[in-house]
C-alpha cells in the first residue's frame, strides 16, 4: 500500500473510543468495572443484576432490557467479571462483558476498516507527513492514554492531513510540456497607452512575461474583479507573444475585445521583422480569409475558432474560462500546437475567489489576482421591497431623463406558480406601458446579442434575466434592479452590479426582495470589493444558502473548512514547497 493510500485510510476517524481502564471513581461517560455478581432478579420486561463494583467500591444494580441466552451463560451469581456500561440514575444500563482492560480501543463503522488500519497503518507509511501530524494520527487509531485522543489535536491533524493529501495529488497532476520561449518586452505597448496601468496589472503582465520566456508551457489563471482591466492585460500578452489567440464565450465579448485591440494594437506596431501587428476577428458573422488567419498576429473569436484551420501560436488566452468546457479549451490548444510543442496557456476570469481557493488552485496552475481597480467605483446598493416601488420609478425616470440606461433583471422568463416574484412575461407590460425604449431579451432568445447591441445604442430600459451577467459593455448604464435578489449567489449579484458605472459615473444597484432583513444581502450591500464578496459567498454557502450554480453548496472536505482554516492551508503549502517540490 502506497503512502497516499495509507494516508487516505488514516483519515478515517474512529467513530468512538472505548476506554477500558479501571478507574477508582465514576466518570460522566461509559466506563469499565471489575464486577462481582451478588444477585439476579428477572421479570417479564427487565432483568436486574446486583453488582459489587470493586474498582469504585460500590454496590449498584444493572438493568437489562434485553437479556438473551448468552447473557444467562455469562452473568451467573457469584461470578466476577469485567463489564462496561453507562450509569444513569445510579444504575448501570445494559452493561456488556469485556475481555480486555486497562486499554483504549478505537471503534470503527465496519470490521473491514478496522482490519485495513491494523494491517497498513504505521509511521513508516506516513513518513510523507511531518512527524507531529503522523504521531497524532497513529495515536488516534492506537491510543494508549486519554491525551492521545484529545479532540482539538486530532481535529487539527485531520484538517492538516486532508488538505495536504488534496494539494499533493493536485501537484502531481501538473504536466510539463515544451513550449516556445518568447523573449519580449511589453514596455513599448504599455508606454503607448493613453492611461496608466494599475500596479496589479503591471505585476500580472510581469508574471506573464516570465511565463513566456520559459521553454515549458505556462498554465496561468488570471482572476480580476469586474472592471479591473483584464482586457489590457490580454492585449499586453498578445503584444509580447507576437502570435496568439483570444477565445471569448460570446460574439459580443469577442467584438468588444476586438474593438479594444483595434484601438490599441491593430496596425500600430512595427514588429521585429518589419511588419505591422495584425488583429483578426473570428466569429460566425465576421468576414475573414484563410490568408487573414495565417498572417494574423492576434486572433480574437468565439467557438468559431475551433472550426478553423488555425496557425501555430505562441500563446492562447481564454476569457471567462468557466464558460468553456475542458474539451473546448483542449481543442483550441491542440489546433494551435506545433507537434509536441504547445502554446502558452492563459485563462482569464472576472469571478473573484477567496484566498483559500486561490491557494488551493495554485497547486495545479499558477494564479494571478488583479484586485486593484483603475478608478474607484461609486455605486450605491439598496435593498428594497414593494413599499419602495414608487421611489424606484421616480429614480428610473430621472436616470432616463439624464440619458442614462436601466436594466431590470427578472428571475424567470415565464410565470411559475411556485414562485413569489414576477417573471419577464408578467412584468414586461408595465414597463412597455409607461416607458419608451424598452427592450426585452433572455438566455433562450436566439436574437439576444443583436437586441443587446441595439439596446446599447438606442434603449432606455432592458428587461432581461442573468444573461446580462457577463456580456456587453453598456457605457450609459447607471442603474440595475435585481428582482428576487436573495435567490442568487453573491458572485452573480456582484457580476450583475458590475455592469453599472463602468466608466466612472455614479451607479445604483437595487436588490428587490420580499425579505429586507436578509443578512446575506445586507452584508453584500456594504462592499464593492469582489474578493471580499467571494469570502462572504463562501461563508454563506457553508450555511446552505442558495447558489448561482457555478459551484454547488456542500462540503468538498470532511474536516478542512475553507472559511476558517486558511492558516492551516498556508502551513501545508509551505511544507509541500519546502519538502516535496521538485
Amino acid at each position: 500500500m502506497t503512502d497516499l493510500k495509507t494516508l487516505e485510510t488514516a483519515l478515517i476517524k474512529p467513530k468512538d473510543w472505548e476506554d477500558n481502564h479501571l478507574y477508582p471513581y465514576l466518570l460522566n461517560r461509559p466506563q469499565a468495572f471489575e464486577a462481582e455478581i451478588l444477585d439476579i432478579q428477572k421479570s417479564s420486561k427487565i432483568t436486574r443484576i446486583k453488582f459489587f463494583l470493586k474498582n469504585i467500591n460500590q454496590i449498584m444494580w444493572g438493568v437489562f432490557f434485553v437479556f438473551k441466552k448468552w447473557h444467562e451463560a455469562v452473568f451467573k451469581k457469584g461470578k466476577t467479571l469485567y463489564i462496561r456500561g453507562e450509569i444513569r440514575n445510579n444504575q448501570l444500563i445494559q452493561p456488556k462483558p469485556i475481555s480486555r482492560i486497562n486499554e483504549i480501543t478505537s471503534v470503527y463503522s465496519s470490521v473491514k476498516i478496522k482490519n485495513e488500519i491494523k494491517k497498513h497503518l504505521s509511521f513508516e507509511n506516513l513518513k510523507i507527513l511531518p512527524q507531529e501530524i503522523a504521531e497524532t494520527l497513529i495515536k488516534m487509531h492506537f491510543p494508549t492514554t486519554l491525551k492521545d485522543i484529545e479532540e482539538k489535536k486530532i481535529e487539527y491533524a485531520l484538517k492538516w492531513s486532508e488538505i495536504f493529501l488534496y494539494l499533493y495529488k493536485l501537484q502531481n497532476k501538473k504536466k510539463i510540456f515544451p513550449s516556445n520561449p518568447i523573449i519580449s518586452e511589453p514596455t513599448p505597448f504599455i508606454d503607448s497607452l493613453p492611461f496608466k496601468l494599475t500596479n496589479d496589472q503591471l505585476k500580472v503582465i510581469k508574471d506573464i512575461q516570465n511565463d513566456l520566456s520559459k521553454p515549458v508551457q505556462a498554465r496561468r489563471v488570471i482572476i480580476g474583479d469586474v472592471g479591473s482591466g483584464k482586457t489590457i492585460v490580454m492585449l499586453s500578452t498578445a503584444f509580447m507573444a507576437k502570435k496568439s489567440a483570444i477565445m471569448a464565450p460570446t460574439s459580443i465579448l469577442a467584438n468588444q475585445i476586438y474593438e479594444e485591440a483595434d484601438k490599441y494594437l491593430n496596425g500600430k506596431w512595427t514588429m521585429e521583422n518589419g511588419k505591422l501587428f495584425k488583429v483578426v476577428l473570428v466569429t460566425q458573422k465576421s468576414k475573414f480569409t484563410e490568408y487573414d488567419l495565417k498572417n494574423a498576429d492576434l486572433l480574437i473569436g468565439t467557438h468559431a475558432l475551433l472550426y478553423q484551420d488555425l496557425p501555430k501560436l505562441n500563446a492562447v488566452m481564454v476569457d471567462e474560462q468557466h464558460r468553456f468546457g475542458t474539451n473546448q479549451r483542449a481543442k483550441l490548444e491542440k489546433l494551435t500546437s506545433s507537434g509536441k510543442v504547445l502554446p502558452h496557456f492563459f485563462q482569464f476570469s472576472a469571478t473573484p475567489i477567496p484566498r483559500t481557493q486561490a491557494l488551493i488552485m495554485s497547486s495545479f496552475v499558477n494564479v494571478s489576482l488583479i484586485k486593484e481597480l483603475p478608478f474607484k467605483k461609486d455605486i450605491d446598493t439598496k435593498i428594497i421591497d414593494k413599499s419602495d416601488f414608487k421611489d424606484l420609478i421616480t429614480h428610473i425616470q430621472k436616470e432616463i431623463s439624464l440619458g442614462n440606461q436601466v436594466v431590470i433583471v427578472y428571475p424567470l422568463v415565464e410565470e411559475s406558480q411556485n414562485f413569489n416574484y414576477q417573471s419577464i412575461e408578467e412584468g414586461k407590460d408595465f414597463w412597455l406601458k409607461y416607458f419608451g425604449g424598452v427592450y426585452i431579451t433572455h438566455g433562450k432568445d436566439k436574437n439576444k446579442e443583436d437586441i443587446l447591441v441595439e439596446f446599447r445604442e438606442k434603449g432606455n430600459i432592458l428587461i432581461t434575466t442573468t444573461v446580462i451577467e457577463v456580456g456587453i459593455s453598456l457605457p450609459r448604464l447607471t442603474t440595475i434592479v435585481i428582482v428576487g435578489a436573495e435567490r442568487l449567489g453573491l458572485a452573480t449579484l456582484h457580476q450583475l452590479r458590475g455592469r453599472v458605472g463602468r466608466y466612472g459615473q455614479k451607479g445604483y444597484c437595487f436588490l428587490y426582495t420580499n425579505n429586507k432583513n436578509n443578512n446575506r444581502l445586507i452584508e453584500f450591500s456594504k462592499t464593492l470589493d469582489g474578493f471580499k464578496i467571494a469570502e462572504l459567498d463562501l461563508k454563506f454557502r457553508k450555511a446552505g444558502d442558495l447558489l448561482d450554480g457555478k459551484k454547488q453548496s456542500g462540503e468538498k472536505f470532511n474536516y478542512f473548512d475553507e472559511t476558517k482554516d486558511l492558516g492551516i492551508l498556508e502551513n501545508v503549502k509551505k511544507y509541500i514547497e519546502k519538502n516535496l517540490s521538485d
Side-chain angles (χ1 to χ4, degrees):
M1 183 177 278
T2 65
D3 287 351
L4 293 185
K5 187 64 179 173
T6 303
L7 181 51
E8 287 176 355
T9 306
L11 284 171
I12 302 172
K13 183 183 178 184
K15 57 175 199 177
D16 202 359
W17 293 272
E18 284 189 359
D19 179 6
N20 289 337
H21 285 86
L22 295 174
Y23 295 100
Y25 47 82
L26 285 175
L27 307 173
N28 292 320
R29 53 184 170 81
Q31 68 183 98
F33 303 96
E34 184 180 1
E36 181 185 351
I37 300 171
L38 304 178
D39 192 16
I40 300 174
Q41 296 179 1
K42 291 185 178 181
S43 69
S44 59
K45 291 186 178 178
I46 63 172
T47 297
R48 286 162 54 84
I49 297 179
K50 185 187 280 189
F51 294 109
F52 172 55
L53 305 175
K54 293 184 178 183
N55 51 306
I56 63 170
N57 198 31
Q58 283 189 36
I59 292 174
M60 190 175 293
W61 285 95
V63 179
F64 294 80
F65 299 101
V66 178
F67 201 76
K68 297 184 177 180
K69 286 270 186 186
W70 70 267
H71 285 108
E72 292 181 4
V74 173
F75 293 97
K76 290 183 177 180
K77 190 174 179 178
K79 187 176 179 180
T80 297
L81 71 167
Y82 297 112
I83 61 172
R84 178 181 176 80
E86 184 177 3
I87 295 175
R88 291 186 223 154
N89 300 321
N90 206 35
Q91 54 188 4
L92 269 168
I93 306 299
Q94 199 74 33
K96 66 176 184 177
I98 55 175
S99 59
R100 301 170 71 92
I101 59 165
N102 295 326
E103 66 180 22
I104 302 172
T105 307
S106 297
V107 180
Y108 301 95
S109 58
S110 75
V111 175
K112 183 181 177 184
I113 291 172
K114 181 179 179 179
N115 291 338
E116 283 286 306
I117 286 166
K118 276 189 174 181
K119 185 178 179 182
H120 298 292
L121 197 57
S122 67
F123 281 112
E124 180 63 24
N125 283 338
L126 292 182
K127 63 185 178 183
I128 197 169
L129 297 177
Q131 184 177 347
E132 187 179 350
I133 298 292
E135 282 180 359
T136 302
L137 293 180
I138 293 288
K139 288 176 180 179
M140 175 184 77
H141 291 289
F142 308 115
T144 54
T145 69
L146 290 177
K147 282 188 175 181
D148 293 341
I149 53 174
E150 185 185 321
E151 196 64 37
K152 282 190 176 179
K153 199 171 182 181
I154 287 173
E155 182 185 30
Y156 182 86
L158 288 170
K159 287 171 179 280
W160 202 103
S161 303
E162 183 176 44
I163 192 61
F164 167 84
L165 182 63
Y166 187 81
L167 294 183
Y168 189 74
K169 284 181 175 179
L170 267 187
Q171 190 184 57
N172 288 335
K173 283 185 177 180
K174 277 187 175 179
K175 294 181 179 178
I176 297 174
F177 298 102
S179 193
N180 288 324
I182 308 296
I183 307 301
S184 188
E185 180 58 55
T187 307
F189 174 69
I190 293 170
D191 288 347
S192 75
L193 296 171
F195 46 80
K196 189 178 178 182
L197 298 188
T198 66
N199 290 329
D200 279 2
Q201 284 175 310
L202 292 171
K203 183 180 179 302
V204 173
I205 290 169
K206 186 69 178 175
D207 289 342
I208 293 170
Q209 183 184 12
N210 289 336
D211 288 343
L212 291 171
S213 68
K214 295 174 183 176
V216 294
Q217 185 198 37
R219 298 192 79 83
R220 182 175 295 277
V221 176
I222 297 95
I223 299 167
D225 204 351
V226 179
S228 61
K230 292 184 300 301
T231 301
I232 287 297
V233 174
M234 288 183 208
L235 299 186
S236 299
T237 303
F239 179 77
M240 290 187 289
K242 299 186 173 84
K243 205 164 183 67
S244 61
I246 299 173
M247 185 164 72
T250 66
S251 59
I252 289 177
L253 272 176
N255 271 283
Q256 285 177 187
I257 296 170
Y258 176 76
E259 287 171 9
E260 296 284 297
D262 190 47
K263 189 188 299 183
Y264 300 120
L265 273 177
N266 204 6
K268 290 189 177 182
W269 295 102
T270 301
M271 305 299 284
E272 291 173 6
N273 58 5
K275 72 181 184 66
L276 293 177
F277 199 98
K278 184 178 180 182
V279 183
V280 174
L281 180 65
V282 182
T283 66
Q284 287 183 327
K285 294 182 179 179
S286 63
K287 294 180 180 179
F288 55 88
T289 65
E290 285 187 26
Y291 177 85
D292 292 331
L293 291 176
K294 185 178 179 182
N295 291 281
D297 299 299
L298 173 60
L299 296 168
I300 300 172
T302 58
H303 300 79
L305 285 167
L306 303 177
Y307 304 98
Q308 310 300 325
D309 184 12
L310 299 178
K312 306 310 171 192
L313 303 176
N314 295 323
V316 167
M317 291 167 269
V318 177
D319 191 23
E320 295 304 331
Q321 54 92 14
H322 62 273
R323 292 179 175 260
F324 294 100
T326 304
N327 292 338
Q328 290 171 319
R329 298 197 294 264
K331 185 176 180 182
L332 179 62
E333 190 175 67
K334 187 176 180 181
L335 282 170
T336 55
S337 300
S338 178
K340 292 183 179 180
V341 177
L342 302 183
H344 296 285
F345 198 74
F346 302 98
Q347 301 177 68
F348 290 78
S349 174
T351 304
I353 60 173
R355 191 174 167 201
T356 49
Q357 292 179 355
L359 272 173
I360 289 170
M361 189 190 298
S362 66
S363 291
F364 186 57
V365 292
N366 293 313
V367 178
S368 295
L369 304 179
I370 310 177
K371 293 187 175 183
E372 199 177 349
L373 299 179
F375 54 82
K376 187 177 178 181
K377 283 208 166 190
D378 185 9
I379 303 173
D380 289 345
T381 304
K382 297 179 181 179
I383 303 170
I384 63 171
D385 61 16
K386 60 184 178 183
S387 67
D388 303 299
F389 192 69
K390 187 176 178 182
D391 291 338
L392 176 65
I393 297 303
T394 301
H395 170 85
I396 290 172
Q397 289 170 334
K398 180 184 176 183
E399 289 300 303
I400 291 174
S401 71
L402 294 171
N404 296 326
Q405 292 177 318
V406 177
V407 167
I408 317 287
V409 178
Y410 281 92
L412 292 176
V413 177
E414 297 175 348
E415 181 182 358
S416 171
Q417 293 181 347
N418 302 318
F419 214 67
N420 296 326
Y421 296 101
Q422 282 190 333
S423 63
I424 287 179
E425 287 301 313
E426 293 169 286
K428 68 179 183 180
D429 289 343
F430 171 84
W431 303 106
L432 289 168
K433 181 177 180 181
Y434 292 103
F435 292 90
V438 176
Y439 287 74
I440 301 167
T441 191
H442 50 80
K444 294 180 181 178
D445 185 354
K446 292 180 180 178
N447 300 315
K448 61 178 176 289
E449 293 191 358
D450 293 336
I451 290 171
L452 288 172
V453 171
E454 190 173 333
F455 167 73
R456 179 175 64 181
E457 306 304 322
K458 303 177 183 178
N460 293 323
I461 295 177
L462 176 68
I463 310 298
T464 185
T465 56
T466 54
V467 68
I468 197 73
E469 176 193 348
V470 177
I472 191 169
S473 178
L474 301 168
R476 295 191 291 125
L477 180 63
T478 57
T479 298
I480 190 163
V481 182
I482 305 167
V483 180
E486 79 278 7
R487 298 189 63 84
L488 296 175
L490 297 188
T492 297
L493 290 177
H494 182 61
Q495 290 290 326
L496 290 169
R497 180 171 61 182
R499 297 294 100 204
V500 306
R502 291 297 291 268
Y503 293 84
Q505 70 272 54
K506 179 74 176 175
Y508 303 89
C509 174
F510 294 95
L511 306 174
Y512 188 94
T513 175
N514 292 332
N515 175 21
K516 289 176 81 170
N517 295 319
N518 184 292
N519 288 332
R520 208 166 55 101
L521 297 185
I522 291 169
E523 290 293 322
F524 172 80
S525 67
K526 292 177 182 176
T527 181
L528 296 174
D529 186 328
F531 290 90
K532 286 181 181 176
I533 287 164
E535 300 286 349
L536 280 176
D537 203 13
L538 182 63
K539 170 187 164 185
F540 284 111
R541 264 189 267 153
K542 294 287 183 181
D545 275 47
L546 275 161
L547 296 181
D548 60 356
K550 282 180 192 167
K551 183 178 177 184
Q552 296 302 317
S553 60
E555 302 286 336
K556 183 193 295 181
F557 304 103
N558 292 317
Y559 312 110
F560 180 81
D561 187 332
E562 291 172 82
T563 64
K564 300 174 183 175
D565 296 331
L566 177 61
I568 294 175
L569 174 61
E570 290 176 329
N571 185 295
V572 171
K573 291 280 288 186
K574 287 176 185 174
Y575 177 81
I576 291 175
E577 287 165 9
K578 183 179 178 181
N579 298 284
L580 302 171
S581 294
D582 294 332

